[in-house]
Amino acid sequence: MPAARAAPFTVGESISFGWDRFKANFGPLAVVALVVWGVEFLLNLLIRPDTGTGLFLAQALYFVLGSIIAMGWITISLEVVDGRTVEVSDVWKHIDKLGPYILAAVLFGLMFTIGLVLLIVPGILVAVTFAFYGFCILDRNLGAIEGLKRSAEITRGYRGQLFLFGLALIGLNLLGLLLLIVGVLVTSGISLIAAGYVYRKLDSASSGAEVG
C-alpha cells in the first residue's frame, strides 16, 4: 500500500462544503428525494413476491432500480459541486452508462465481500480504494474496469484520509437517524455533496488541475 500523502481535502472542509451547498440547494434536492422515494414506495406496493422465480426477478429489478437511483444521486452530487442547477431529470441523465455501472457495482461487491471474509481489513481497503468508481464512470464516461482502475488511481496515497472521511460520514448519518426522516434527508444530502467534493479534489489532484 502506497505511503499516505497530504490529501487535497480535509474532513471538516468537505462536510462544511456539503452543508453549505445543501442549504443552497435544499428545495431542488428535496423535490428529487420525494420523487425517488415515491417511485420506490410504489414499486414496493406493486411488486411483492414471496418466493421462487418471482422473488429473484423482483430482487433483480430492485438492484437495477437501485443502480439507476445511485447513478442519479452521483450525477446530482456533481451538479451541485460544480454549481449547476439540480433537476429531477438528472436522476436518469446518464442512463446509457447503466450497464458499465452495474458491472462495476457487482465486481466491487464481490471484492468487498471477499475482503470482509479475509478478516475485515482487506474489505475496508477495497472500499476506500474503489469508493469513487461510480463517479469515475459517469463523470469520465468510462467502462466498468476503467472506472474501477481510475478510482484506484485517484485514491492512491490518500486512503488513510479517505477512511477517516468515511467514518465521519457514518457518524453524521447515525446522527441523522436519531432525528428520523428529516435528519436523514439532511445528513444524507450533506454526505452526498461532500463525497462529490472529495471526488473532484482527488480527480483534480491526479490530473494536475485545481478545484475551487
Side-chain angles (χ1 to χ4, degrees):
M1 180 176 176
R5 295 179 285 168
F9 69 93
T10 67
V11 173
E13 164 198 329
S14 304
I15 293 177
S16 177
F17 180 93
W19 168 239
D20 289 339
R21 289 297 173 92
F22 177 82
K23 287 189 298 181
N25 293 273
F26 177 78
L29 288 172
V31 170
V32 173
L34 288 173
V35 170
V36 169
W37 291 346
V39 170
E40 290 181 301
F41 178 74
L42 288 175
L43 283 176
N44 281 326
L45 288 179
L46 295 173
I47 306 173
R48 305 181 67 178
D50 296 320
T51 58
T53 303
L55 179 59
F56 173 78
L57 292 175
Q59 290 175 334
L61 178 60
Y62 288 141
F63 180 70
V64 172
L65 176 64
S67 296
I68 293 173
I69 291 172
M71 290 168 61
W73 286 125
I74 290 171
T75 301
I76 287 167
S77 172
L78 293 177
E79 294 288 298
V80 171
V81 170
D82 295 341
R84 292 190 287 268
T85 302
V86 175
E87 299 178 359
V88 173
S89 59
D90 290 330
V91 173
W92 51 83
K93 183 176 181 179
H94 293 294
I95 193 67
D96 60 310
K97 302 303 295 182
L98 180 60
Y101 182 89
I102 286 179
L103 177 56
V106 170
L107 293 174
F108 174 82
L110 289 173
M111 290 188 292
F112 181 66
T113 301
I114 293 171
L116 290 181
V117 171
L118 297 175
L119 302 179
I120 299 179
V121 173
I124 295 174
L125 181 58
V126 166
V128 296
T129 298
F130 301 109
F132 297 103
Y133 72 85
F135 286 89
C136 295
I137 290 172
L138 301 188
D139 186 47
R140 288 181 165 265
N141 195 32
L142 300 176
I145 302 301
E146 291 79 7
L148 289 164
K149 287 182 177 178
R150 178 61 182 167
S151 181
E153 179 183 342
I154 66 175
T155 58
R156 185 174 297 118
Y158 305 124
R159 288 161 193 166
Q161 292 94 325
L162 287 169
F163 175 68
L164 295 177
F165 175 66
L167 288 180
L169 293 189
I170 291 172
L172 180 66
N173 284 286
L174 286 175
L175 177 61
L177 286 173
L178 295 177
L179 301 175
L180 303 178
I181 295 176
V182 174
V184 171
L185 174 63
V186 172
T187 58
S188 60
I190 294 171
S191 300
L192 177 74
I193 298 168
Y197 174 79
V198 170
Y199 163 74
R200 276 281 181 251
K201 285 290 188 177
L202 294 175
D203 185 62
S204 297
S206 175
S207 303
E210 292 291 335
V211 172

